[in-house]
């Protein structure tokens, strides 16, 4: 392989693995949203599921 190809291989590897590590660190520190913005459809603290009933056939 040429030196340019090796350089691009190393650069792309650093970008991909660096992004993976950065996102894992970010999700490890702030894994959930502390507070949602006002105006949502859900009542405070309750989860609402609008699913159709399951038919037993």
């Amino acid at each position: 392989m040429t030196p340019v190809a090796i350089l691009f291989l190393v650069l792309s590897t650093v970008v991909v693995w660096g992004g993976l590590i950065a996102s894992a660190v970010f999700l490890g520190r702030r894994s959930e949203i502390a507070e949602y913005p006002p105006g949502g459809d859900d009542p405070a603290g309750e989860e609402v599921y609008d699913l159709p009933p399951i038919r037993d056939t």
Side-chain angles (χ1 to χ4, degrees), residues 8-26:
F8 278 108
L9 175 67
V10 170
L11 181 65
S12 63
T13 303
V14 167
V15 167
V16 170
W17 284 101
L20 178 66
I21 292 170
S23 63
V25 168
F26 177 77

Side-chain angles (χ1 to χ4, degrees), residues 26-41:
F26 177 77
L27 286 174
R29 289 186 180 177
R30 298 184 56 141
S31 60
E32 294 184 15
I33 296 175
E35 184 177 321
Y36 288 100
D41 293 337

